[in-house]
Amino acid sequence: ITQGALGDCYFLSALSVLGNSRTVELFVCQEDSDHKNESDPNHWKKTGAFMLKFSKNGEFEYVIVDDWLPMCNDTPAFTKGGMDGLEIWPAILEKAYAKLYGSYQAIEAGKVHLALADLVENGFPEQLALKTYKNNVKVFAEKMRFLDKVQALMGAGSPEHEMGDRAINEEGIVQGHAYAILD
């Protein structure tokens, strides 16, 4: 997943954390036996429309979007997927998420843990502020080990900087950016 012109790195980080199986579950496939072509297992993909399922405020919300995407120089203006940038699923998810919140502008700048809660059933967002643990790194490490043990989905964000994402700290972390914690 590659971020485009939209400042929604937190959402893209959340998608990275989900992995393939949970991401596929966001796409809803309505089976309609009257219109189903039994010989074509991908019949639902040919409609040009996608239904996605989000868990907003603990309730399922379904969003339908078409496959028309904002473009810039013959490529998607926002999220691109795959090594060649031609996979459409991240852009469709991003479009549906923008529709869920009212616009693309509405999903600029956010928190990974809140996006994860929107993407999984019964998601319980929790934010751990590092400054809370600055005098006791051991407690923080224990908390992280516990979260890993219970297979919690985790992301991270770095503090904003006046130089934006051109600022990189001494550890190589881009400032004002979101990250996926995979292991």
Side-chain angles (χ1 to χ4, degrees), residues 1 14 19 37 42 45 49 75 83 89-90 97 102 105 121 127 133 138 148 155 176 182-183:
I1 300 172
N37 178 352
N42 297 317
K45 294 180 185 176
T75 63
M83 296 298 286
W89 66 267
Y97 198 64
Q105 184 179 12
E121 185 176 2
Q127 181 173 326
Y133 297 95
K138 185 177 179 181
D148 183 52
L182 304 177
D183 192 16

Side-chain angles (χ1 to χ4, degrees), residues 116-163:
L116 281 169
D118 287 339
L119 297 171
V120 298
E121 185 176 2
N122 299 320
F124 181 79
E126 181 180 4
Q127 181 173 326
L128 304 178
L130 290 179
K131 62 184 169 190
T132 306
Y133 297 95
K134 70 180 180 180
N135 293 327
N136 199 341
V137 177
K138 185 177 179 181
V139 172
F140 179 73
E142 288 171 6
K143 176 77 170 179
M144 293 297 288
R145 280 199 264 318
F146 169 77
L147 292 171
D148 183 52
K149 183 179 178 179
V150 298
Q151 299 179 345
L153 301 175
M154 295 184 276
S158 56
E160 292 184 9
H161 192 277
E162 68 264 3
M163 290 176 47

Side-chain angles (χ1 to χ4, degrees), residues 25 46 70 77 131 146 159 181:
E25 291 173 4
K46 295 179 181 177
K131 62 184 169 190
F146 169 77
I181 299 175

Side-chain angles (χ1 to χ4, degrees), residues 98-111:
K99 186 174 180 181
L100 179 71
Y101 281 96
S103 69
Y104 280 107
Q105 184 179 12
I107 65 168
E108 285 200 285
K111 303 282 187 179

